[in-house]
Amino acid sequence: MAASLKKAGMFIYRAAALLTAAGLLLFSASCGEKGAEPYGGQDYVMGTLMTQTIYGGNEELAKKATSEIRVMEAAISNKFNTSEVSKISALAGSGGVESKYFDIYKLAVDVSVKSGGAFDITIAPVVDLWGIGTPDARVPSREEIEGLLPFVDYGFVKLEDGTVSLTKEGAALDLGSIGKGAAADLALSVYRDAGISSAIVAVGGSIGVLGGKPGGAPFIIGVRDPKGGGNDYLGTLALKDISVSTSGSYERFVEKEGVRYHHILDPKTGYPADSGLVSVTVVHENGALCDALSTACFVLGLEKGVKLLDGYGANGIFIDKEDKVFVTKGIQSNFELKDGLGYELVKIE
Ligand code: AMP
Ligand code: MG
């Protein structure tokens, strides 16, 4: 476990009760709360740290959430040859697979269409070529990248009667941009079914919030400072009954000759997206949607990203390379920027 946590670049401060996720920090609310006692647990799922805080919950409930997420991971992760996603990719051009996670694929394709292809789950061949976040990470040649671009097109994804298929041989799927948010949604539904009304779960940079703290106050979530370390935050969001997801260029990257290449790729070029942003945080009731939108907005940039969020009734925080922090209208009263870090708050009207 310790080795896994270290691998994910995460640290746990027990004394300060501050738990870090990839792009968001979760301030544990274990002290001085009235009402139900919180049960806290940590696991390694979907290649990252999952932290559960369930008021009135127990180990059994936390384990139930973890095991349901592991079942989902075994289906939608392309890291396992036996997963349904790997089967869909292997059958590309010839057949499909019926999936109980059909809604996740549907949502992914919807975000692909509405983002004009900035978000695209058929990016898999190019993601594998770069290998960012794996021991085989490298900067491929332009020829290698361009040779794979004809296989990247969300139009190859066919969704019919609960069955998912790819119409082009050689195309493949990667749900890495949406899976953690879907996992957070699944955990919240397990808590809800057990009658829990107050809980918070973080799966990497995706956080799901059920209710508020037992006393009625909102949960406080820190938005990571892209220039700081894993525990540094530039501001806080006070939220109830919602999901939050962050995508940032500081999360995973490979370096060559002093140039940093991060893990969020522009499907049009096959290179890391360079839209002027360093991080995007999205807030919406649907965690899987937050996850997909944060990746999509990172590729689209500020202006088009804000429009995409508007279309879904979502809100967001966009941090650009000039240290400006743009916050959409619906969460301006929930967000507080920390003083003294040199960031400038810009409220989007
Ligand atoms: P996230 O950290 O949620 O922003 O997701 C990033 C992950 O999604 C990467 O590690 C890739 O596996 C995959 N990915 C990269 N670029 C894209 C893209 N433009 N659309 C969809 N998925 C992507
Ligand atoms: Mg994402």
Side-chain angles (χ1 to χ4, degrees), residues 177 247 291-292 294-295:
S177 52
S247 289
D291 197 353
S294 63
T295 309

Side-chain angles (χ1 to χ4, degrees), residues 278-322:
V278 289
S279 146
V280 183
T281 296
V282 174
V283 180
H284 188 271
E285 285 75 19
N286 182 331
L289 180 61
C290 285
D291 197 353
L293 288 177
S294 63
T295 309
C297 287
F298 189 97
V299 178
L300 282 175
L302 177 66
E303 222 167 288
K304 289 181 181 161
V306 169
K307 277 199 192 117
L308 180 69
L309 295 190
D310 265 354
Y312 279 104
N315 279 284
I317 300 170
F318 296 72
I319 305 170
D320 75 5
K321 288 181 182 166
E322 265 87 59

Side-chain angles (χ1 to χ4, degrees), residues 65-81:
T66 308
S67 71
E68 288 201 19
I69 288 170
R70 288 204 204 286
V71 171
M72 183 169 87
E73 181 184 10
I76 69 168
S77 168
N78 59 351
K79 307 287 175 282
F80 310 117
N81 291 335

